[in-house]
Amino acid sequence: MTEQKKILGEERRAFLLQLLKESDTPLTGSDLASRTNVSRQVIVGDITLLKAKNEPIIATSQGYMYLKQNNGTLVYEKTIACRHTPNEAENELNILVDHGVTVKDVKIEHAVYGDLTASIMVSNRQEVKQFLEKLRITNASLLSELTGGVHLHTITASNKSVLDKAETALKEAGILLES
């Protein structure tokens, strides 16, 4: 049995970038580490260096993703303001994804740190379940818990009508904050 050789430095980062660009699903740090025969911490450093070179890589609850251009496909995007308890997070996210929306992120305005944004990137119930399970396993809090439940989401969809219908459903559920 031969031992797998480590891929070093720039060659490894180029390989990681290729893997991320070719993947349609998020790749975990552990998976990337095993493919390159380095530790997960080395991967975290590599991803940081790639981001510093303006590569559009985001860390989601499911793993790392390379943000691809939409190949000319128009994507509609909107920011919505919501308020709910932590127990209502699953309902909020499911309402959105059930309407065909992708929830890109969550944003809050923190009294000390200012604007805080975290990537979510969920577009179906399975991804919502994985996101919430990761929160539970790590005992992490929702950002909205720092602001009494008030937060923003960037949502995207293939057309404006999908966004409007999802927004109406959140309003009917008492989750949408209206101006």
Side-chain angles (χ1 to χ4, degrees), residues 114-134:
D115 291 339
L116 297 178
T117 303
S119 175
I120 295 180
M121 294 304 284
V122 296
S123 57
N124 60 55
R125 281 184 175 248
Q126 181 61 33
E127 291 172 352
V128 169
K129 184 178 175 183
Q130 289 171 343
F131 171 73
L132 295 172
E133 181 65 9
K134 189 154 191 181

Side-chain angles (χ1 to χ4, degrees), residues 48-90:
T48 300
L49 290 171
L50 290 168
K51 286 181 180 181
K53 292 181 177 183
N54 293 319
E55 292 293 349
I57 299 168
I58 60 167
T60 72
S61 60
Q62 295 93 26
Y64 295 109
M65 290 181 66
Y66 189 87
L67 292 180
K68 298 173 176 74
Q69 295 300 322
N70 297 326
N71 300 330
T73 305
L74 196 55
V75 173
Y76 292 83
E77 184 173 284
K78 185 171 193 173
T79 300
I80 57 171
C82 300
R83 176 188 288 154
H84 59 76
T85 66
N87 292 338
E88 295 171 303
E90 183 173 15

Side-chain angles (χ1 to χ4, degrees), residues 54-178:
N54 293 319
E55 292 293 349
I57 299 168
I58 60 167
T60 72
S61 60
Q62 295 93 26
Y64 295 109
M65 290 181 66
Y66 189 87
L67 292 180
K68 298 173 176 74
Q69 295 300 322
N70 297 326
N71 300 330
T73 305
L74 196 55
V75 173
Y76 292 83
E77 184 173 284
K78 185 171 193 173
T79 300
I80 57 171
C82 300
R83 176 188 288 154
H84 59 76
T85 66
N87 292 338
E88 295 171 303
E90 183 173 15
N91 185 40
E92 173 203 42
L93 294 173
N94 282 336
I95 287 170
L96 291 167
V97 301
D98 286 352
H99 280 83
V101 167
T102 295
V103 182
K104 287 178 62 175
D105 58 30
V106 60
K107 299 173 189 174
I108 62 164
E109 185 177 326
H110 190 271
V112 175
Y113 299 114
D115 291 339
L116 297 178
T117 303
S119 175
I120 295 180
M121 294 304 284
V122 296
S123 57
N124 60 55
R125 281 184 175 248
Q126 181 61 33
E127 291 172 352
V128 169
K129 184 178 175 183
Q130 289 171 343
F131 171 73
L132 295 172
E133 181 65 9
K134 189 154 191 181
L135 281 174
R136 189 189 65 73
I137 289 170
T138 60
N139 204 27
S141 298
L142 296 167
L143 282 182
S144 61
E145 291 182 58
L146 299 172
T147 56
V150 176
H151 58 286
L152 302 173
H153 284 299
T154 306
I155 58 173
T156 64
S158 58
N159 63 64
K160 186 179 179 313
S161 172
V162 169
L163 293 176
D164 292 342
K165 288 176 183 172
E167 201 171 1
T168 298
L170 286 179
K171 182 178 180 181
E172 290 170 359
I175 292 172
L176 189 71
L177 271 179
E178 299 183 69

